[in-house]
Amino acid sequence: MQLKAAAAATLLVGLATPALSCTLTLGTPGTLGISTSGQYLGSTQPGGVAATMTVATVGPSTMTVQPPTYTQVPSGYSGAGDTMEIGYTGSGLISGVTQAFTTGVTQFGVPNLLGIGTVIVTFNSRATTATGFRNGTYQMRTIVTCS
Amino acid sequence: MRKALLALAVAGLGITPAYAVDVLFTGNITGVCSLALSTPGTLAVSTDGQTLGSQEGLGLFAAVTVLSIGNATVTVAAPTRTQSPAGYVATGETVEVAYTGLSGLSGISHPTYTNQQTTFAANSLPLTVLQLNNRIRNVNGFPTGTYQTRTVVTCS
């Protein structure tokens, strides 16, 4: 009996620790569309598609979402002064997670999924131009960290 | 049990494993530009009878709305006379256009009448109004009847 009690106590301590394992998988990359006003370039604009990411954890985790940055813009477009925003929603066990568009760093928690379950986070990204978008290809990157 | 011991070890050392992923969004902008005539203009004759224009008497300018996404160039062609009454002497006439932009095109202005084609850049404009004036100058005067001028505006 004493041995069983000791094992249970150890297990509880283990569950309370930060993520032992966290696997982030990009499901669908996002697509950017342009607003009819020409002011916004984002995944919620016409032609845009949200990005999805799957999270699998062992142990409770904290997700940190950085604001997006440009990784590609057309020649002649600097992007300086543009407002870069990210928003997201969770599903499944984290369906209560909702973040409206923000320019800041945000965090949310993911419970212990025991390595057998997953949750999906849907991200939307948006840039507001300061000078007017030019023709060409744009790419934004948001870094998501699990710890 | 092995996982639990690993958790204890990690927590005890104050080391938290971190994992990261880049969430990428990509898009391509191709130029979109639309024009719409919101108000046709009206021509009126000047007091000296030698000018028929939208800035004379009860004349009114024409308004064109411009919406541009990405890079675009607006071309205002040289105006032409498309209708005049019998007996009108066209010899020596000059058909001209002038225009002024509002709001997003406020920096675009060609207030001086010209009979030549002109262009200007219209890069990523919200819905914006371009006011156009037309006039015909003719020392032979303008017999009674209906006159019409046309200015072709293109966005490309």
Side-chain angles (χ1 to χ4, degrees):
Chain A
M1 289 294 288
Q2 287 180 342
L3 284 175
K4 285 183 181 177
T10 304
L11 181 60
L12 287 174
V13 172
L15 289 170
T17 58
L20 291 174
S21 167
C22 187
T23 303
L24 307 179
T25 306
L26 184 61
T28 308
T31 302
L32 302 171
I34 188 81
S35 66
T36 54
S37 67
Q39 186 180 9
Y40 302 108
L41 180 67
S43 54
T44 57
Q45 304 303 324
V49 177
T52 61
M53 182 188 72
T54 301
V55 183
T57 63
V58 175
S61 307
T62 298
M63 311 295 295
T64 302
V65 181
Q66 302 288 331
T69 57
Y70 284 124
T71 52
Q72 183 179 356
V73 294
S75 174
Y77 187 80
S78 73
D82 286 7
T83 302
M84 310 295 289
E85 298 171 288
I86 189 78
Y88 51 82
T89 57
S91 66
L93 290 176
I94 59 166
S95 58
V97 172
T98 299
Q99 175 61 57
F101 279 120
T102 178
T103 58
V105 177
T106 56
Q107 292 185 321
F108 62 93
V110 175
N112 186 358
L113 300 173
L114 302 173
I116 53 175
T118 60
V119 294
I120 295 175
V121 185
T122 301
F123 291 93
N124 282 296
S125 185
R126 179 173 72 179
T128 305
T129 184
T131 57
F133 292 113
R134 299 176 67 90
N135 294 348
T137 301
Y138 294 77
Q139 187 175 67
M140 299 179 203
R141 179 180 70 168
T142 292
I143 299 174
V144 181
T145 307
C146 180
S147 58
Chain B
M1 190 66 181
R2 185 172 295 175
K3 285 181 179 176
L5 290 175
L6 176 59
L8 285 174
V10 170
L13 292 171
I15 299 170
T16 301
Y19 310 86
V21 67
D22 288 349
V23 180
L24 298 174
F25 295 82
T26 305
N28 188 54
I29 296 178
T30 55
V32 174
C33 189
S34 66
L35 300 172
L37 179 64
S38 59
T39 310
T42 303
L43 301 172
V45 70
S46 64
T47 53
D48 66 3
Q50 295 188 355
T51 302
L52 183 67
S54 54
Q55 289 186 303
E56 305 294 339
L58 297 176
L60 289 173
F61 60 80
V64 174
T65 56
V66 183
L67 173 64
S68 166
I69 297 170
N71 302 357
T73 298
V74 173
T75 301
V76 180
T80 57
R81 177 176 44 77
T82 53
Q83 184 178 354
S84 59
Y88 175 69
V89 179
T91 305
E93 75 170 2
T94 304
V95 186
E96 300 172 304
V97 62
Y99 53 84
T100 302
L102 304 180
S103 56
L105 282 173
S106 59
I108 304 300
S109 180
H110 203 295
T112 305
Y113 280 96
T114 179
N115 60 358
Q116 304 295 312
Q117 174 178 295
T118 55
T119 62
F120 59 86
N123 298 331
S124 291
L125 289 175
L127 198 60
T128 302
V129 174
L130 184 67
Q131 294 180 341
L132 293 110
N133 284 295
N134 272 191
R135 75 179 180 187
I136 306 171
R137 290 190 298 164
N138 193 334
V139 295
N140 298 311
F142 299 90
T144 302
T146 302
Y147 295 79
Q148 186 178 63
T149 61
R150 183 178 69 168
T151 299
V152 178
V153 181
T154 56
C155 190
S156 58

